[in-house]
Amino acid sequence: MVQEIQLPVVATKNEWTILDSEKLYRIDGWGEPYFSINEAGHVTVSPMGDRGGCIDLFELIHDLKQRNLRLPMLLRFSDILADRIERINSTFAKAIARYNYNGVYRGVYPVKVNQQRQLVEELVEFGKPYQFGLEAGSKPELLIALATLKTPGALLICNGYKDLEYIETALLSQRLGQTPIIVLEQLEEVDLVIQAATKLGIDPILGVRAKLSSKGIGRWEDSAGDRAKFGLSMWEILEVVDRLQAAGLLNSLQLLHFHIGSQISSIGVIKDALKEAGQIYVQLVALNANMKYIDVGGGLGVDYDGSKTNFYASKNYSMQNYAYDVVAAIKEACAAKNIPVPTLVSESGRAIASHQSILIFDVLNTSGVPNSPIEPLAEGEHLIIRNLFETLENINVNNYQEVYHDAAQFKEEAVSLFTFGYLSLRERARVERLYWECCDRILKIVRQQNYVPDDLEDLERIMAHTYYCNFSVFQSAPDSWAIDQLFPIMPIHRLNEEPTCRGTLADLTCDSDGKIDRFIDLRDVKSVLELHPFYHGEPYYLALFLGGAYQEILGDLHNLFGDTDAVHIHMTPRGYQVEHVIKGDSMTEVLQYVQYSREGMLENLRRETERALQAKQITLAEARLLLQNYEHSLSGYTYLS
């Protein structure tokens, strides 16, 4: 009879340091120069990169909670936004100087990346020294740009589908001192522009968006090529030239635009596109178009996993490399035809907006495989149970792969026996507990091996704990769910302590897709995240980084979880200052989105409680408490407090 089960001895490091955490979570790769770990084991934020002070993120959250702000919470660091704008302008300035480029750079921010008013206003303010402009991809975004952009000389790039009102509005903005460039993306837009220009007596500034043969890479590779949603083929561009010439407006054609997709991970793809676009540009000059600008679109990638490779969640080039290649390619194309170089324009929204935003959320609970003590084998126990006990006793480094399959087979046999009534519920539960103990011991051995057999690759994921977190994937990280976007996720404290657990993250929604089980690794994706044990009564905070592009505006109301609290943080000589606080949605607000009235709902519940009182189904005290809680909830946060 087996009286006691001894756990195998597994060698572990005696002491975990912050250097181990830096390596594990790859923060030096994706976080440079803004994020690091201090001696207390807390993540720090340096909003001005290596040119300013830093903030302890754990202490910041504690401070903000003292101000009655709630988790989950979105932090926006205004100084990171300013730093990103300064960096992209300085890299182009350096490239222009290096190649003696006789032109200038005028960046624009694509409003679609994050349309939040405070962010766009800050971006315009920070961009003033560089005449940084805006790009609108729709009529509502054009209205935002016209109300916000007040920088003399800054460009307003007008993309997207256009009707006559869109075009007239853009043209009339010239009277306000704006520099709108209407980019023609459909042949039908040419006639609308001619009609509006004739009616208003305003000479437009026009561009054409070309469909390049050069295609992007990864998720957005179809943004270019023959099947691209937007842009004109070569014969359509010639048709534009002919129609404008016939209308006496060829002098208005001044810009060539192209876009090969978002998050381009390989610099080689960018070089190919620049070479092709450069030739289109010089050919338009040869057709007597009054060319002055080339807009290289977006695509400047963000290194989400810190690997600095052409993996889709990374990029194998720096911002400076990108600027060098843009300047060099366009100069070479123009020099070959002895024509003046254009003003360079880029729409690098992801590279500008991603870093400034951090989502902080807390862990509410965890669940995992059973870990209760195993009772000794008793006389007369079922053969399946005895076999599993023997299997468990004999696990070692030489047989763990074979034993894993034996344990799995015994578990399957137990299920079959239970289904046909030959095994009790208590016996089946005992089998499962023994099976999971076998898996746990085998996993400890597997973690020490240099090579993991194919049939054991899923064991880490199978044994992982689920960490239930106070946020909604669909609201705060929709690209993680929709297109398998990877974001760096890690604890913001306890980083001087070894994370001994492996877990996946589950959100508050009652949707099986409301989870994150794909995490960054070195040029790879791992199915579990290294986390610390969760202790009830002690806060455990996680953060999702680099989510400032697209996530806020793409978020939806699945299960009616609304916008989170958002806080703008600004560095001062004395530390940090809370610049703006934007309260997250209340339950009343999200219910109004789906046409429910607070007053109507309260009245309906009041009537129901009155009916229940009359029928003596509820006491007066219970009815009062129910109505109190109901009304309080309507005013409260959609997340758990």
Side-chain angles (χ1 to χ4, degrees), residues 234-500:
M234 297 306 109
W235 73 266
E236 287 174 318
I237 290 175
L238 288 174
E239 181 70 17
V240 169
V241 170
D242 291 343
R243 290 190 193 183
L244 291 177
Q245 190 167 34
L249 288 175
L250 186 56
N251 203 50
S252 293
L253 183 56
Q254 300 181 17
L255 176 141
L256 172 67
H257 173 44
F258 69 90
H259 179 65
I260 57 171
S262 185
Q263 183 60 20
I264 304 300
S265 59
S266 173
I267 192 65
V269 172
I270 295 171
K271 288 181 177 182
D272 290 343
L274 287 167
K275 189 174 294 186
E276 183 180 358
Q279 289 306 306
I280 298 172
Y281 181 87
V282 300
Q283 292 298 322
L284 286 170
V285 173
L287 292 171
N288 296 317
N290 184 26
M291 301 303 290
K292 296 181 179 178
Y293 307 92
I294 186 163
D295 183 346
V296 300
L300 175 56
V302 170
D303 194 355
Y304 289 100
D305 71 1
S307 66
K308 296 178 172 56
T309 65
N310 64 354
F311 186 58
Y312 73 89
S314 185
K315 60 185 177 75
N316 64 1
Y317 58 94
S318 67
M319 187 183 286
Q320 187 63 68
N321 296 146
Y322 174 79
Y324 283 152
D325 286 335
V326 170
V327 172
I330 303 307
K331 180 181 179 180
E332 182 181 350
C334 293
K337 298 295 183 181
N338 197 28
I339 62 174
V341 296
T343 294
L344 301 169
V345 182
S346 74
E347 303 174 5
S348 304
R350 183 186 296 270
I352 289 171
S354 293
H355 298 75
Q356 53 84 32
S357 174
I358 306 173
L359 177 73
I360 309 290
F361 51 96
D362 51 331
V363 173
L364 303 170
N365 204 349
T366 63
S367 68
V369 298
N371 60 0
S372 56
I374 295 176
E375 296 179 6
L377 187 65
E379 291 287 349
E381 292 212 60
H382 198 285
L383 177 62
I384 287 283
I385 296 173
R386 296 202 304 272
N387 287 339
L388 269 169
F389 254 97
E390 183 179 351
T391 301
L392 182 62
E393 256 193 321
N394 293 324
I395 294 173
N396 61 59
V397 72
N398 297 314
N399 69 359
Y400 66 92
Q401 187 175 3
E402 176 188 350
V403 166
Y404 173 71
H405 294 292
D406 290 342
Q409 182 180 340
F410 291 141
K411 180 173 177 288
E412 288 179 12
E413 290 177 7
V415 171
S416 180
L417 288 169
F418 176 79
T419 302
F420 288 103
Y422 296 112
L423 206 65
S424 71
L425 180 61
R426 190 175 298 279
E427 287 172 323
R428 177 174 171 178
R430 187 140 161 79
V431 166
E432 290 184 359
R433 177 67 191 91
L434 288 165
Y435 169 75
W436 290 121
E437 184 65 25
C438 289
C439 291
D440 185 57
R441 294 191 184 186
I442 293 168
L443 181 58
K444 286 182 171 70
I445 296 173
V446 167
R447 287 175 180 169
Q448 306 302 315
Q449 308 308 307
N450 294 324
Y451 168 75
V452 179
D454 292 345
D455 48 354
L456 295 178
E457 280 186 344
D458 275 348
L459 190 57
E460 193 76 77
R461 179 184 58 82
I462 293 169
M463 295 294 292
H465 286 67
T466 299
Y467 280 62
Y468 298 98
C469 301
N470 190 20
F471 81 116
S472 163
V473 168
F474 305 95
Q475 176 61 242
S476 295
D479 276 349
S480 174
W481 161 71
I483 59 173
D484 290 333
Q485 172 72 52
L486 291 174
F487 296 99
I489 300 173
M490 64 180 290
I492 66 168
H493 59 130
R494 295 174 63 179
L495 295 169
N496 50 4
E497 172 189 336
E498 183 175 4
T500 56

Side-chain angles (χ1 to χ4, degrees), residues 533-554:
F534 173 71
Y535 304 119
H536 287 283
E538 295 183 17
Y540 190 47
Y541 301 134
L542 305 180
L544 182 148
F545 295 86
L546 309 188
Y550 298 106
Q551 303 318 295
E552 289 185 65
I553 203 62
L554 291 176

Side-chain angles (χ1 to χ4, degrees), residues 476-543:
S476 295
D479 276 349
S480 174
W481 161 71
I483 59 173
D484 290 333
Q485 172 72 52
L486 291 174
F487 296 99
I489 300 173
M490 64 180 290
I492 66 168
H493 59 130
R494 295 174 63 179
L495 295 169
N496 50 4
E497 172 189 336
E498 183 175 4
T500 56
C501 298
R502 305 293 184 270
T504 60
L505 309 183
D507 71 0
L508 293 178
T509 66
C510 59
D511 192 309
S512 58
D513 284 339
K515 65 180 186 295
I516 298 179
D517 56 5
R518 301 175 76 257
F519 304 95
I520 66 167
D521 203 359
L522 179 58
R523 196 185 167 89
D524 200 357
V525 180
K526 58 187 179 185
S527 59
V528 295
L529 182 65
E530 293 82 359
L531 295 164
H532 303 93
F534 173 71
Y535 304 119
H536 287 283
E538 295 183 17
Y540 190 47
Y541 301 134
L542 305 180

Side-chain angles (χ1 to χ4, degrees), residues 200-211:
L200 299 173
I202 299 174
D203 290 335
I205 309 172
L206 301 176
V208 287
R209 177 168 175 173
K211 284 184 180 178

